[in-house]
């Protein structure tokens, strides 16, 4: 704290812990969840000190409540000195710190996931990797892949897509009787036609009778150097997004059964 040395701050914090245990803990509980002995005996529980309303209170507002009381809570002006009230507030802030930190971590994580989703769409990943129900995939199901791959493995798969090609997703080249060459991944095939999705994610339908030659490639249809112009932060956000859509392995097993 500004204007106070470390040793003095420790003394104040220790004093605040004592004041809290004496006057606040009976109702608010040891960590401020509103589950103190008084509340457990059937009295109306006080607001949790790590609830949003308490977190938004300024130190001055909290001092005012300690001084004059609020609703069922009495004022402590005659029992607790101003210095001790401030010390108690310091202890309360220490109790709130984990909640504040977690809330900030959650906010950053959600923001990163949203940024990753934007990157996923900007890089046109969604055109081959089905994310929404009903989409026809041309690449592995990322809901399952993200569940079993670590972040490092996901990044490696993106950077080196041809290193390990999932069964059924190898690229193919089709030469038509008119001499036109198409390449991509087969997303649908019937006796009459073949639907091929190219590197841009666009589908082309080729009549089976027009196929002169067809060859499977040992190279992934996924473009190399996809992340060449993507910042490190954006890469991490992309990985956050992929991990956020992961389906837990036990869910995958249940669906498979």
């Amino acid at each position: 704290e500004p204007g106070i040395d470390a040793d003095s701050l420790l003394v104040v914090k220790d004093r605040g812990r004592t004041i809290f245990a004496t006057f606040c803990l009976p109702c608010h509980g040891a960590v401020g969840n509103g589950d103190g002995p008084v509340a457990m005996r059937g009295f109306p529980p006080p607001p949790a000190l790590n609830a949003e309303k308490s977190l938004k209170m300024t130190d001055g507002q909290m001092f005012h409540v300690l001084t004059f009381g609020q609703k069922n809570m009495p004022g402590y002006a005659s029992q607790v000195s101003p210095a001790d009230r401030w010390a108690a507030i310091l202890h309360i802030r220490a109790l709130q710190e984990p909640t504040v930190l977690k809330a900030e971590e959650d906010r950053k994580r959600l923001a990163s996931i949203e940024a990753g989703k934007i990157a996923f769409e900007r890089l046109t990943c969604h055109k081959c990797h089905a994310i929404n129900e009903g989409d026809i995939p041309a690449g592995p199901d990322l809901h399952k892949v993200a569940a079993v791959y670590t972040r490092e493995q996901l990044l490696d798969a993106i950077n080196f897509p041809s290193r390990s090609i999932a069964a059924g997703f190898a690229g193919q080249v089709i030469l038509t009787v008119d001499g036109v060459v198409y390449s991509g991944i087969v997303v649908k095939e019937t006796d009459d036609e073949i639907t091929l999705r190219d590197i841009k994610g666009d589908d082309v339908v080729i009549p089976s009778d027009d196929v002169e030659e067809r060859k499977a490639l040992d190279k992934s249809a996924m473009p190399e150097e996809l992340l060449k112009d993507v910042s490190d932060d954006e890469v991490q956000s992309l990985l956050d997004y992929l991990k956020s859509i992961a389906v837990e392995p036990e869910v995958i097993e249940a669906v498979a059964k």
Side-chain angles (χ1 to χ4, degrees):
E1 296 290 333
I4 186 171
D5 60 78
D7 290 338
S8 297
L9 182 59
L10 288 175
V11 171
V12 174
K13 286 184 175 180
D14 188 60
R15 179 61 180 170
R17 187 181 301 109
T18 299
I19 295 299
F20 183 89
T22 303
F23 296 97
C24 310
L25 185 151
C27 290
H28 287 281
V31 295
N33 288 333
D35 56 356
V38 172
M40 292 297 96
R41 287 201 294 265
F43 289 87
L49 296 177
N50 57 5
E52 184 178 1
K53 183 176 180 180
S54 298
L55 292 172
K56 287 182 176 180
M57 291 179 70
T58 65
D59 289 350
Q61 290 171 326
M62 197 169 290
F63 185 86
H64 185 274
V65 172
L66 285 172
T67 302
F68 301 104
Q70 179 176 272
K71 295 184 179 179
N72 293 329
M73 175 179 166
Y76 289 95
S78 62
Q79 297 169 274
V80 183
S81 70
D84 282 349
R85 275 173 261 158
W86 287 119
I89 291 170
L90 189 62
H91 180 67
I92 291 171
R93 292 308 188 199
L95 293 177
Q96 292 176 334
E97 187 173 348
T99 302
V100 174
L101 291 176
K102 184 180 184 304
E104 179 61 14
E105 288 174 0
D106 289 346
R107 185 195 66 78
K108 289 181 178 179
R109 179 175 175 274
L110 290 174
S112 181
I113 289 173
E114 184 60 30
K117 182 179 180 181
I118 292 173
F120 185 85
E121 294 175 351
R122 180 172 62 79
L123 294 169
T124 66
C125 307
H126 62 291
K127 289 191 174 183
C128 289
H129 295 283
I131 296 298
N132 301 313
E133 187 175 351
D135 291 344
I136 300 176
D141 186 344
L142 294 182
H143 297 90
K144 299 178 181 179
V145 173
V148 296
Y149 274 33
T150 64
R151 293 174 69 91
E152 290 74 17
Q153 289 171 326
L154 285 172
L155 183 57
D156 188 72
I158 296 171
N159 283 325
F160 307 102
S162 297
R163 182 175 288 176
S164 178
I165 303 174
F169 293 106
Q172 295 198 23
V173 172
I174 294 178
L175 172 66
T176 69
V177 293
D178 296 328
V180 180
V181 177
Y182 297 98
S183 63
I185 295 177
V186 175
V187 293
K188 185 179 179 182
E189 183 172 1
T190 66
D191 292 338
D192 299 321
E193 59 187 26
I194 301 169
T195 302
L196 200 70
R197 186 165 298 170
D198 64 21
I199 196 171
K200 295 181 180 179
D202 297 325
D203 290 352
V204 57
V205 179
I206 307 168
S208 300
D209 292 340
D210 289 351
V211 176
E212 176 73 21
E213 186 177 350
R214 178 175 175 179
K215 181 180 179 182
L217 301 175
D218 58 2
K219 185 176 182 180
S220 173
M222 181 172 168
E224 302 280 351
E225 298 186 334
L226 185 67
L227 303 178
K228 181 178 65 174
D229 298 319
V230 179
S231 70
D232 291 342
D233 286 345
E234 200 170 16
V235 169
Q236 294 307 313
S237 290
L238 178 61
L239 295 176
D240 283 341
Y241 172 66
L242 293 177
K243 295 303 287 186
S244 77
I245 64 171
V247 176
E248 295 301 324
E250 56 267 24
V251 177
I252 295 175
E253 293 175 7
V255 173
K257 292 177 183 178

